[in-house]
Amino acid sequence: MSMYVLWQLVWQGTAPFNENVYTFFQVGNYSAHVGFMVDKLTAMMMVVVTFVSLLVHVYTIGYMAEDPGYQRFFSYISLFTFSMLMLVMGNNFLQLFFGWEAVGLVSYLLIGFWFKRPTAIFANMKAFLVNRVGDFGFLLGIAAVLYWFGSLDYATVFAAADEKIGGGQVVQIIPGMEWSVATLICICLFIGAMGKSAQVPLHVWLPDSMEGPTPISALIHAATMVTAGIFMVARMSPLFELSEMALAFILFIGATTAFFTGLIGMVQNDIKRVVAYSTLSQLGYMTVALGVSAYSAAVFHLMTHAFFKALLFLAAGSVIIGMHHEQDMRKMGGLRKYMPITFWTSVIGTLALIGTPFFSGFYSKDTIIEAAKHGGATMGWVGTYAYWAVLLGAFVTSFYSFRLLYMTYFGEERFRHATHDDHGHGHDDHHAHDAHHDDHGHHGAHEPHESPWVVTLPLILLSIPSILVGYFTVGPMLFGTDWTGHHEAAPFFLGAIDVSAARDSVMMVKDALWHGPAAFALHGFIAPAFWLVVAGFALATVMYWWKPHLPAKVAHALRLPIRILENKYGMDDLWIKGFAGGGLLLGRASREVDTKLIDGVAVNGSAGVVALVADVIRKLQTGRLYNYAFAMILGLIVLLAVLIRHWT
């Protein structure tokens, strides 16, 4: 149905749909609606979400076959797909927020799917809380939109954007400090995207989310949920175009994420975590594209990346099945002869990821690098920094991708040396797949085996768009030509993405380089990004294939930087020990103040003073006549003594 909708919009020329279905509530002059906006941007997202989701559902039939939570798992991933569709199809901020929170909730349920494992519970709580930080900013942005526009409807807000916030309107949040309203709204909305799309420093939840079953890693953390932030900023392009400051902020955050999280992927040994850090890095690329106003390039990379990253995650899951639930790449090796389908689909996914010319990843990734070069030229040091970050990121991506391939599929069969006890079960997925052993028989305790067709079929189906989708769609979606690149056509995202002509870095790339997909790919062979990819490939080949003893020597020589990378720059410590630990310390200090100072001194102390005074007075005022008579006689004697002394 999603493909039919896309076909109607693209080939039949059907007008976009934007209508409210019913009124959710009405307060005074403001009414909130449940409504749908389906234009080409929505339709493209719907096809990506439903296609990847369908294949993940099929894959899950085999992957979770023997898991006791089989039905629960399917109910969650169906709810997730529904939530994501509501997010991309909504025509107002309220429905966007509903979908936004719903995918967050289902993500929480799925990361902690195996709820008896402490690591899974910690990971899903971490994801939920870090996203709360981002969502707080997002909610403030939506509140600011409602305050300034009096409406949450996209069409109304975008139509009035220039008039309401485009004239340099300012607001004083702190007395004496003026903020541009457009910048304030855009940065608040983008903070939401930083949480959902895992941008530094709110990226720490995504690698830990690998604690969930592998189909979830593919569905949520590669193809759909994490791209919600990218989609949202592209959808809000009429607002973001009004604030250069917000775009520079986005560019800086994206460039930092693209390069520095990729570096962490170079030292990971868990097969799924390498792919997770790769996802972080690629989300950084998309964010860089947003920062240079190349919104169409960002969502184009979102689309191509969804296919090849879902492929890589599902291939990693297939390896985990074949290895009897082992995830440590140091205990793999030589798997290509045991798992040929998984191996070849992994190679296709890897070639797409590193941006090999003619593969789909090349068209989206190289367009972003070129857009950063052209669009960043007008943005000062931030633009220069972003260009070098995405360019050097090509080397980093190539290195960790081929490192994964070599450690997993080539070289010595290291799994033969592992006894069952030191096998360790990896970190993940280790109680889900016992059925597969029966399917394939045991060829020895740790003999790997190819996964069943229900797992390999989705891999094959995902590898097709990973190769072809870029070549046939780059012209129409980015450069306003037909798929051959020779005939002008209406811009694909016309009306869905709004870019000021002066900042349109995709058009700058078109003017400089675009002569059709084949010529663009051939030019890619002489671009600096390609040579950096080759350098990454060469280094990985030497270290992990030709001279496998080299990594140990390099690790010894570069102890300090590797320790920093393994420690993830201390970002986990900052959040867990810094913010969370600081909150606990503050709570404990508050409790001490409350119990010892307020309760102990002020409340109990004043009560103690009253009790002491009462105790003393009680001893004086006994109520017995002879006590009073004795006191009076004693007093009289003392008085007489004083008088006699005074008079004499």
Side-chain angles (χ1 to χ4, degrees):
M1 287 174 76
S2 296
M3 287 180 168
Y4 178 61
V5 167
L6 186 67
W7 181 73
Q8 281 183 311
L9 285 165
V10 177
W11 283 280
Q12 288 192 321
T14 310
F17 175 90
N18 181 16
E19 284 184 31
N20 293 326
V21 180
Y22 64 88
T23 302
F24 185 46
F25 63 78
Q26 185 148 2
V27 179
N29 296 328
Y30 172 68
S31 55
H33 304 282
V34 172
F36 296 92
M37 173 191 276
V38 182
D39 54 16
K40 287 179 182 173
L41 177 60
T42 306
M44 184 273 291
M45 287 295 292
M46 286 162 66
V47 169
V48 170
V49 170
T50 50
F51 180 73
V52 174
S53 181
L54 171 67
L55 295 181
V56 168
H57 276 71
V58 173
Y59 181 95
T60 303
I61 295 169
Y63 197 86
M64 302 293 286
E66 288 299 299
D67 195 279
Y70 186 74
Q71 286 84 351
R72 180 164 59 96
F73 192 84
F74 270 96
S75 67
Y76 287 172
I77 56 175
S78 300
L79 179 61
F80 175 79
T81 308
F82 160 76
S83 305
M84 193 67 201
L85 287 171
M86 287 296 279
L87 189 155
V88 299
M89 291 164 69
N91 73 347
N92 60 75
F93 285 87
L94 190 74
Q95 198 165 324
L96 172 74
F97 191 70
F98 164 76
W100 194 267
E101 292 302 310
V103 290
L105 167 69
V106 183
S107 171
Y108 168 81
L109 294 171
L110 284 164
I111 295 167
F113 181 77
W114 289 319
F115 52 81
K116 293 183 180 174
R117 288 168 51 198
T119 50
I121 295 303
F122 182 80
N124 76 346
M125 187 58 74
K126 186 175 182 182
F128 202 70
L129 293 178
V130 172
N131 270 287
R132 294 283 66 69
V133 177
D135 292 352
F136 180 65
F138 191 52
L139 199 53
L140 286 176
I142 293 174
V145 167
L146 182 59
Y147 178 78
W148 281 91
F149 291 91
S151 169
L152 289 179
D153 187 71
Y154 290 160
T156 310
V157 170
F158 297 159
D162 256 344
E163 177 197 338
K164 297 275 189 185
I165 62 171
Q169 287 88 338
V170 293
V171 62
Q172 287 194 14
I173 304 171
I174 302 165
M177 279 184 71
E178 291 189 337
W179 280 72
S180 152
V181 174
T183 300
L184 179 73
I185 289 175
C186 291
I187 286 181
C188 282
L189 290 173
F190 180 66
I191 288 170
M194 283 168 68
K196 198 66 75 197
S197 291
Q199 297 297 294
V200 171
L202 300 181
H203 67 287
V204 292
W205 66 271
L206 196 140
D208 282 26
S209 69
M210 297 303 109
E211 289 294 335
T214 297
I216 290 320
S217 308
L219 181 59
I220 293 185
H221 307 119
T224 49
M225 175 181 141
V226 290
T227 55
I230 308 297
F231 163 79
M232 183 271 293
V233 176
R235 172 63 82 206
M236 307 298 156
S237 55
L239 300 180
F240 281 87
E241 281 299 289
L242 299 174
S243 172
E244 293 218 0
M245 171 71 80
L247 289 172
F249 176 67
I250 290 170
L251 185 60
F252 177 77
I253 294 288
T256 304
T257 307
F259 183 65
F260 288 100
T261 58
L263 288 177
I264 303 176
M266 293 165 67
V267 299
Q268 296 296 311
N269 292 310
D270 181 315
I271 187 169
K272 275 174 65 179
R273 281 179 188 259
V274 177
V275 189
Y277 281 105
S278 166
T279 302
L280 282 175
S281 182
Q282 296 307 306
L283 288 164
Y285 274 83
M286 296 174 210
T287 308
V288 165
L290 298 172
V292 292
S293 296
Y295 305 98
S296 54
V299 292
F300 184 60
H301 192 48
L302 184 163
M303 176 187 78
T304 59
H305 173 261
F307 297 125
F308 59 74
K309 189 50 63 71
L311 169 60
L312 286 168
F313 264 121
L314 296 183
S318 178
V319 168
I320 292 166
I321 296 171
M323 285 296 298
H324 307 285
H325 335 308
E326 179 57 73
Q327 284 179 236
D328 192 331
M329 295 189 298
R330 291 170 297 189
K331 295 174 184 171
M332 297 180 188
L335 291 181
R336 69 186 190 282
K337 66 181 180 187
Y338 299 101
M339 309 181 74
I341 299 173
T342 304
F343 168 64
W344 285 110
T345 51
S346 291
V347 169
I348 290 168
T350 299
L351 292 175
L353 169 64
I354 63 173
T356 309
F358 292 102
F359 282 75
S360 61
F362 162 78
Y363 291 102
S364 53
K365 194 170 172 180
D366 266 45
T367 304
I368 290 174
I369 293 171
E370 292 297 335
K373 180 181 177 182
H374 292 81
T378 60
M379 298 182 74
W381 68 268
V382 179
T384 309
Y385 167 68
Y387 173 63
W388 282 103
V390 292
L391 190 60
L392 294 173
F395 168 80
V396 175
T397 306
S398 176
F399 178 80
Y400 65 62
S401 299
F402 282 106
R403 175 178 177 266
L404 185 149
L405 276 183
Y406 287 134
M407 287 180 76
T408 308
Y409 298 105
F410 289 82
E412 183 190 1
E413 296 177 2
R414 293 181 295 278
F415 52 84
R416 296 200 178 280
H417 308 316
T419 66
H420 197 70
D421 291 326
D422 69 27
H423 201 241
H425 280 313
H427 295 294
D428 191 51
D429 292 349
H430 57 260
H431 72 262
H433 329 291
D434 298 330
H436 297 302
H437 300 184
D438 302 330
D439 295 346
H440 303 279
H442 273 291
H443 311 293
H446 298 291
E447 191 78 7
H449 52 76
E450 186 59 274
S451 302
W453 70 267
V454 78
V455 169
T456 53
L457 180 66
L459 296 180
I460 294 164
L461 292 176
L462 280 167
S463 62
I464 296 166
S466 297
I467 300 171
L468 299 175
V469 76
Y471 188 91
F472 291 106
T473 57
V474 61
M477 282 181 69
L478 292 189
F479 300 118
T481 64
D482 64 359
W483 72 269
T484 64
H486 298 305
H487 303 288
E488 293 294 317
F492 186 85
F493 291 117
L494 185 66
I497 290 174
D498 181 38
V499 191
S500 59
R503 291 186 52 85
D504 194 345
S505 51
V506 171
M507 286 301 106
M508 297 176 197
V509 175
K510 180 186 178 183
D511 296 341
L513 295 171
W514 180 249
H515 304 291
F520 191 65
L522 290 171
H523 175 270
F525 283 111
I526 58 166
F530 177 74
W531 292 105
L532 284 166
V533 164
V534 171
F537 163 68
L539 184 62
T541 304
V542 169
M543 287 180 67
Y544 292 95
W545 194 20
W546 288 354
K547 301 196 173 170
H549 60 277
L550 257 185
K553 290 183 178 176
V554 172
H556 183 71
L558 301 175
R559 286 188 300 277
L560 184 63
I562 286 175
R563 193 175 304 140
I564 291 169
L565 291 176
E566 285 176 342
N567 198 30
K568 306 164 199 167
Y569 309 114
M571 293 301 287
D572 270 356
D573 290 342
L574 175 69
W575 282 102
I576 295 165
K577 293 177 185 169
F579 293 118
L584 280 172
L585 279 174
L586 196 63
R588 288 196 189 107
S590 163
R591 188 169 62 194
E592 291 297 309
V593 168
D594 196 39
T595 52
K596 293 191 174 162
L597 192 65
I598 297 172
D599 271 3
V601 176
V603 178
N604 296 340
S606 56
V609 169
V610 170
L612 188 67
V613 170
D615 209 34
V616 171
I617 292 172
R618 193 183 301 117
K619 287 184 172 56
L620 295 174
Q621 298 289 348
T622 62
R624 296 189 174 94
L625 192 60
Y626 57 78
N627 286 124
Y628 294 146
F630 175 71
M632 288 165 72
I633 291 166
L634 202 62
L636 184 62
I637 291 168
V638 171
L639 190 61
L640 284 171
V642 171
L643 286 171
I644 290 165
R645 170 123 188 163
H646 183 65
W647 283 338
T648 57

